[in-house]
């Protein structure tokens, strides 16, 4: 599996569609489907969309959902590779924007191609994909990720009155060279700030920036996105190994985000591929915007599963804590300048105030994952959410996050070096 798609809360249920392929190393893409009433218990639903049409035969690629009354509208990219000698970037590929209407999230009532490559603005390569649709002040808007013929990443903005006829109204880009393609855009307002999330590809990597092969982050938007709004700062959404193609949606007042815990074309591996499956999703994260940054916290439903709490002693600088579950939600505040946390026999998280960084590394079980760095002048709190093969590290109340897959052999202990105040919440599902 890869990207989450069509996230929504519809008729009392959460729906997670996702990029699904039948081969563990990736094959033709379907929309798989899970649903839940409480974000905790998930039920697998039948495959929702298959690459069985002329306009999507090489993949039902990523897209989004919009709830309108009793109907669920879904938008995706139909991927087609034409026969012949093509590079599939500048020639030979169709990326069709498709609209699906469903009464219940399981049946397709209608399906129609809205935009073909010929309908996109001039100057683009064949890569135009991942529609995210939303309603705002009486109109509908769609953002699409794009790559120009000159290999610049852009996001196209379309507007519609009826979800069927769409007009290109603007293109977002930045003047500096900032990658050749921006995948999976999402445009939303949070706490008074408009944010354009996207996954730019082709950014030069350095110690603290763009450490992964592809980046995943957000631009702050200044001004009205429909008129003169423009992109200012770009901030990375995650500093770990495995986080990509996130998507947000509204459930009542709260905006939730789900990301794919994977990274396309990474040189590290997941041993489960040999067993016939690969990858997972992050935990659901609740978003806010404070002090110029997107804040991501584990959705409250996670802490509601804490069945016991192990207090962390303040009086010893070295603790080895026995744990019986792999699902943990540990929150602590360092009382010294340095902190080291070892998760099972696998992940090591180190904060050194003098260096002003948090380092995520592996004792073993990283399958090619080395180290990732996150600048952090003052570590005030750290929250670590673990599952059987994943760790998500929320720094300073969710100002920065580091997410990674991990493959432990032994899972019976957590070790902490450095005085801390806090506790390990044991999660039961
Ligand atoms: C991101 C992505 C999307 C595309 C999908 C195909 O991981 O490349 O841009 O729609 O995956 O599976």
């Amino acid at each position: 599996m890869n990207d989450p798609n069509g996230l929504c809360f519809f008729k009392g249920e959460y729906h997670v569609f996702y990029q699904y392929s039948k081969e563990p190393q990736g094959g033709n893409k379907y929309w798989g489907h899970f649903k839940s009433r409480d974000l905790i218990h998930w039920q697998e639903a039948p495959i929702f969309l298959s690459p069985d049409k002329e306009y999507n035969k090489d993949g039902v690629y990523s897209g989004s959902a919009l709830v309108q009354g009793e109907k669920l509208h879904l938008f995706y990219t139909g991927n087609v590779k034409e026969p012949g000698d093509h590079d599939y970037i500048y020639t030979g590929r169709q990326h069709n924007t498709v609209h699906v209407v469903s009464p219940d999230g399981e049946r397709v009532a209608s399906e129609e191609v809205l935009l073909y490559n010929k309908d996109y603005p001039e100057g683009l390569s064949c890569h135009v994909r991942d529609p995210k649709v939303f309603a705002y002040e009486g109109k509908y808007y769609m953002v699409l990720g794009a790559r120009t013929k000159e290999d610049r990443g852009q996001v196209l903005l379309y507007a519609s009155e009826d979800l069927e006829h769409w007009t290109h109204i603007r293109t977002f880009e930045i003047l500096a060279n900032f990658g050749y393609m921006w995948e999976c855009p999402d445009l939303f307002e949070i706490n008074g700030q408009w944010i354009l999330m996207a996954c730019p590809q082709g950014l030069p990597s350095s110690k603290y920036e763009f450490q992964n092969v592809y980046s995943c982050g957000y631009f702050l938007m200044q001004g009205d996105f429909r008129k003169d709004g423009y992109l200012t700062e770009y901030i990375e959404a995650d500093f770990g190994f495995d986080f990509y193609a996130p998507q947000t949606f509204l459930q009542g007042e709260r905006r939730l985000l789900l990301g794919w815990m994977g990274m396309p074309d990474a040189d590290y591996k997941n041993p489960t591929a040999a067993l016939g499956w690969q990858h997972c999703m992050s935990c659901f994260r609740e978003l806010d915007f404070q002090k110029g940054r997107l804040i991501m916290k584990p959705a409250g439903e996670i802490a509601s599963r804490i069945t016991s709490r192990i207090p962390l002693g303040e009086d010893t600088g070295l603790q080895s804590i026995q744990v019986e579950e792999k699902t943990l939600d540990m929150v602590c505040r360092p009382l010294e300048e340095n902190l080291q946390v070892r998760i099972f026999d696998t992940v090591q998280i180190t904060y050194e105030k003098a260096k002003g960084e948090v380092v995520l590394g592996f004792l073993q079980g990283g399958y090619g994952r080395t180290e990732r760095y996150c600048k952090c002048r003052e570590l005030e709190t750290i929250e670590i959410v673990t599952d059987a093969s994943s760790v998500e590290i929320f720094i300073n109340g969710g100002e920065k996050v580091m997410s990674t897959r991990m493959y432990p052999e032994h899972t019976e202990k957590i070790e902490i070096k450095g005085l801390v105040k806090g506790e390990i919440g044991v999660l039961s599902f």
Side-chain angles (χ1 to χ4, degrees):
M1 50 152 288
N2 51 296
D3 318 356
N5 295 152
L7 302 181
C8 60
F9 185 71
F10 176 55
K11 298 187 178 171
E13 287 179 312
Y14 295 95
H15 292 263
V16 172
F17 300 90
Y18 64 99
Q19 289 287 285
Y20 168 63
S21 60
K22 298 188 175 179
E23 298 86 44
Q25 305 286 6
N28 210 348
K29 299 292 160 83
Y30 296 69
W31 272 34
H33 185 193
F34 278 84
K35 50 188 198 162
S36 168
R37 292 204 165 268
D38 59 5
L39 277 192
I40 297 289
H41 302 93
W42 291 89
Q43 187 193 340
E44 188 167 11
I47 286 178
F48 181 62
L49 295 168
S50 302
D52 52 9
K53 311 257 177 349
E54 219 178 299
Y55 52 82
N56 68 14
K57 72 176 184 59
D58 298 300
V60 185
Y61 275 12
S62 284
S64 58
L66 179 76
V67 176
Q68 286 292 284
E70 293 297 298
K71 296 219 166 79
L72 188 62
H73 295 259
L74 301 118
F75 300 85
Y76 72 86
T77 299
N79 180 52
V80 176
K81 286 172 115 177
E82 291 165 355
D85 181 20
H86 293 294
D87 55 28
Y88 297 109
I89 300 170
Y90 312 103
T91 66
R93 187 188 291 269
Q94 298 168 24
H95 271 172
N96 305 309
T97 302
V98 187
H99 176 202
V100 171
V101 183
S102 170
D104 53 7
E106 297 207 2
R107 277 174 296 142
V108 171
S110 66
E111 180 161 349
E112 185 200 2
V113 179
L114 300 172
L115 300 165
Y116 295 94
N117 284 73
K118 66 174 172 44
D119 302 316
Y120 302 131
E122 298 227 322
L124 297 177
S125 71
C126 305
H127 285 212
V128 180
R129 59 176 175 266
D130 309 335
K132 174 83 201 280
V133 172
F134 61 98
Y136 183 67
E137 293 187 342
K139 269 204 181 164
Y140 300 108
Y141 296 92
M142 175 196 291
V143 280
L144 280 166
R147 171 176 185 159
T148 69
K149 283 185 181 146
E150 281 76 45
D151 300 324
R152 293 173 64 97
Q154 293 183 336
V155 168
L156 313 177
L157 177 69
Y158 279 76
S160 170
E161 305 272 350
D162 58 6
L163 295 175
E164 283 183 15
H165 304 90
W166 291 87
T167 313
H168 172 244
I169 57 168
R170 297 201 57 196
T171 294
F172 298 111
E173 60 179 344
I174 58 171
L175 289 177
N177 193 354
F178 205 72
Y180 58 80
M181 168 73 194
W182 295 358
E183 293 191 313
C184 299
D186 194 349
L187 180 60
F188 56 89
E189 186 184 19
I190 181 132
N191 203 8
Q193 173 69 49
W194 280 87
I195 299 274
L196 178 69
M197 286 197 93
C199 295
Q201 300 187 314
L203 301 180
S205 151
S206 64
K207 179 172 175 190
Y208 295 109
E209 273 194 327
F210 320 137
Q211 297 165 77
N212 291 333
V213 49
Y214 303 135
S215 179
C216 168
Y218 55 96
F219 297 94
L220 306 184
M221 170 98 58
Q222 190 76 44
D224 187 332
F225 74 93
R226 299 163 292 187
K227 298 188 182 115
D228 55 356
Y230 58 95
L231 307 179
T232 60
E233 206 183 339
Y234 176 79
I235 303 171
E236 283 193 279
D238 199 283
F239 295 87
F241 293 93
D242 300 284
F243 191 79
Y244 200 70
Q247 190 176 91
T248 72
F249 68 106
L250 272 179
Q251 181 247 342
E253 293 287 288
R254 66 175 178 166
R255 186 165 288 275
L256 292 166
L257 174 146
L258 184 68
W260 172 38
M261 270 189 110
M263 181 56 60
D265 304 325
D267 55 7
Y268 35 89
K269 304 264 170 317
N270 300 300
T272 57
L275 307 172
W277 60 278
Q278 188 173 200
H279 301 303
C280 70
M281 295 296 179
S282 70
C283 66
F284 277 88
R285 300 175 183 178
E286 208 167 314
L287 299 187
D288 196 0
F289 186 80
Q290 281 167 28
K291 292 190 242 150
R293 293 193 83 92
L294 206 53
I295 305 293
M296 289 193 218
K297 290 190 175 150
E301 280 86 345
I302 293 175
S304 77
R305 308 303 295 187
I306 296 179
T307 47
S308 63
R309 295 171 192 271
I310 308 170
L312 301 174
E314 276 172 63
D315 54 341
T316 162
L318 185 63
Q319 303 179 58
S320 179
I321 300 126
Q322 297 297 307
V323 288
E324 276 162 21
E325 300 280 350
K326 297 171 191 155
T327 45
L328 306 169
D329 181 356
M330 164 175 155
V331 187
C332 74
R333 185 158 64 82
L335 301 174
E336 293 179 329
E337 302 219 323
N338 298 328
L339 172 69
Q340 191 168 79
V341 181
R342 288 185 169 178
I343 309 291
F344 310 140
D345 60 351
T346 318
V347 163
Q348 175 167 290
I349 302 156
T350 311
Y351 167 66
E352 281 179 63
K353 186 170 178 175
K355 289 191 179 162
E357 64 186 26
V358 175
V359 184
L360 164 64
F362 281 83
L363 301 163
Q364 63 92 32
Y367 287 82
R369 289 165 184 80
T370 50
E371 282 187 334
R372 287 291 179 263
Y373 304 88
C374 179
K375 273 194 197 161
C376 176
R377 210 173 293 150
E378 187 76 50
L379 184 65
E380 283 154 19
T381 59
I382 185 163
E383 175 165 9
I384 303 171
V385 176
T386 67
D387 201 338
S389 61
S390 68
V391 184
E392 292 165 78
I393 305 159
F394 297 85
I395 293 168
N396 293 345
E399 276 175 18
K400 293 183 176 175
V401 191
M402 303 177 89
S403 306
T404 189
R405 301 301 304 278
M406 61 160 180
Y407 297 96
E409 275 169 24
H410 301 284
T411 57
E412 66 279 352
K413 66 172 192 259
I414 302 287
E415 287 179 304
I416 302 178
K417 212 196 281 179
L419 288 184
V420 293
K421 195 179 170 70
E423 61 181 27
I424 298 178
V426 179
L427 304 167
S428 303
F429 292 95

